[in-house]
Amino acid sequence: MEFPAVFLVGYLMLSCFAASSFGVTFSSLHKTLIVSASSPLGHVLKAGEDELTIKWEFNQTFPPGIDSTYKTLKLKLCYAPESQKDRPWRKTVDDLKKDKTCQHMIAARPYNPSNNSFVWKVDRDIPSAKFFVRAYVFDGQEVEVGYGQNTDSSKIFDLFTIRAITGHHASIDVASVCFSVFSVGSLAGFYYMERRKGKISQRK
């Protein structure tokens, strides 16, 4: 049995009103956005160096007008289940005010239904973990009214890994190697000079 579009629109608007009155749960939101995230480097990125291209648009399978209350959009970096295990500070909670899944803000933009793209250079303070990208849309009262994400509902596919900055730099490695070579060379030279002095002393 199919419901007319007007009833679906009314239901969604009623859900939005209820959310603004009693608090928003993730399960109450509809996936009205299509989101993708990609990088020419594949699915492993370095914090502070690599870039991620994020694209989003309104899901045209929903009736027109459902997004009439959408005002702003926020892109967030979210932890995948694998990187949430045994970490309660990253726990997923249905109540969005208590949810710890998406802790890292990527960008905020006015809502536009199509042709949206943003290139994000991974922040330097992002920890090593597996992630996905989620976009939330907000109404004029800054209440979440819809979402989209680049992974499936089980958060298994299209995940990417970010490797944190370790403070270990190539210049330090080069300096360490040079110092080691210099030390070995100095030790060998010292040993050679001592043996030469010993032979000269024996001749006398």
Side-chain angles (χ1 to χ4, degrees):
M1 180 179 180
E2 295 184 358
F3 290 94
V6 64
F7 289 108
L8 181 57
V9 173
Y11 170 75
L12 292 174
M13 289 185 173
L14 183 61
S15 298
C16 294
F17 175 77
S20 63
S21 301
F22 304 104
V24 182
T25 58
F26 182 75
S27 59
S28 70
L29 300 179
H30 293 272
K31 194 177 181 180
T32 54
L33 298 179
I34 298 174
V35 179
S36 66
S38 61
S39 170
L41 300 173
H43 289 76
V44 180
L45 306 175
K46 294 180 181 179
E49 296 183 20
D50 298 333
E51 295 180 340
L52 190 68
T53 299
I54 305 165
K55 297 181 179 181
W56 66 96
E57 63 181 357
F58 178 69
N59 187 346
Q60 297 295 333
T61 61
F62 285 88
I66 287 179
D67 60 342
S68 61
T69 61
Y70 294 2
K71 300 300 180 183
T72 57
L73 176 141
K74 293 181 181 179
L75 298 172
K76 293 190 175 184
L77 185 67
C78 310
Y79 291 103
E82 179 181 327
S83 295
Q84 292 176 295
K85 188 177 180 180
D86 300 324
R87 296 176 175 89
W89 57 92
R90 298 177 181 174
K91 185 178 181 181
T92 295
V93 179
D94 195 34
D95 184 345
L96 291 181
K97 289 185 178 180
K98 299 178 180 179
D99 182 42
K100 303 297 182 183
T101 308
C102 306
Q103 300 181 24
H104 306 281
M105 174 69 75
I106 295 176
R109 293 286 186 274
Y111 172 73
N112 186 49
S114 61
N115 300 320
N116 299 288
S117 180
F118 181 77
V119 178
W120 178 58
K121 184 175 181 179
V122 182
D123 291 343
R124 294 175 58 87
D125 61 348
I126 300 298
S128 293
K130 280 195 174 181
F131 295 94
F132 63 94
V133 173
R134 180 179 289 165
Y136 285 106
V137 278
F138 297 76
D139 62 15
Q141 282 70 50
E142 283 294 304
V143 175
E144 294 93 338
V145 288
Y147 83 101
Q149 59 190 32
N150 76 301
T151 186
D152 61 302
S153 58
S154 298
K155 296 176 280 189
I156 296 175
F157 300 105
D158 294 324
L159 303 176
F160 50 92
T161 299
I162 293 179
R163 292 178 178 170
I165 294 175
T166 62
H168 199 59
H169 299 286
S171 58
I172 296 177
D173 293 337
V174 173
S176 299
V177 171
C178 292
F179 183 75
S180 298
V181 172
F182 176 77
S183 298
V184 173
S186 299
L187 183 61
F190 178 77
Y191 179 73
Y192 172 77
M193 292 300 294
E194 287 297 312
R195 287 194 62 185
R196 186 177 180 185
K197 287 181 180 179
K199 289 181 179 181
I200 294 175
S201 298
Q202 288 177 359
R203 291 174 184 174
K204 293 180 179 180

